[in-house]
Amino acid sequence: VQLVASGGGLVQFGGSLRLSCVASGRMFSINAMAWYRQAPGKERELVARITGDSTNYIDSVKGRFTISRDNDKNTVYLEMNSLILEDTAAYYCNVNYRRTSYGSYREVWGQGTLVTVSS
């Protein structure tokens, strides 16, 4: 299974970006899809996760970011609005899935897409 993330770039303070991450390969089912980020010199942190129709976010992005998924396309999105300088980071998608109906859950990471917010 592979994840390919896209949509990062340079955006001005207060602007918007939409990240996408497509999962491909053998998957029986996907449990959770998530976005993490890692800023320079900081640890990777969970930004948002979607499991079924349930979503959760870190406090700093609540009301500004929206995570969604298209199950038919095995794709997870992160709509980011009102971007601030502190949102600058490499963003990584993460998928928790099973290859078969009887298998254990596995985790896979995307390659990361860079988001830079300028003042």
Side-chain angles (χ1 to χ4, degrees):
V1 173
Q2 289 186 322
L3 303 183
V4 177
S6 61
L10 176 64
V11 62
Q12 286 192 327
F13 178 91
S16 300
L17 280 176
R18 187 193 196 205
L19 306 183
S20 301
C21 177
V22 181
S24 62
R26 180 183 176 185
M27 294 176 289
F28 172 76
S29 65
I30 294 177
N31 179 29
M33 307 181 86
W35 287 95
Y36 288 71
R37 69 184 180 187
Q38 187 167 19
K42 295 188 176 182
E43 293 186 353
R44 189 173 298 189
E45 63 177 355
L46 174 65
V47 176
R49 176 185 285 128
I50 182 166
T51 305
D53 293 329
S54 177
T55 60
N56 60 284
Y57 302 87
I58 54 170
D59 288 345
S60 61
V61 308
K62 286 180 180 177
R64 300 188 298 120
F65 291 11
T66 302
I67 189 170
S68 61
R69 60 193 281 183
D70 184 329
N71 293 325
D72 292 336
K73 297 181 179 179
N74 290 334
T75 300
V76 61
Y77 304 97
L78 186 67
E79 186 76 36
M80 304 185 294
N81 298 312
S82 302
L83 284 160
I84 60 178
L85 299 180
E86 290 77 13
D87 294 322
T88 295
Y91 284 71
Y92 299 87
C93 52
N94 172 280
V95 170
N96 184 260
Y97 71 99
R98 284 195 297 177
R99 292 190 67 185
T100 64
S101 61
Y102 50 85
S104 59
Y105 281 99
R106 303 183 182 197
E107 201 171 64
V108 61
W109 291 88
Q111 84 282 11
T113 183
L114 185 61
V115 173
T116 304
V117 183
S118 65
S119 58

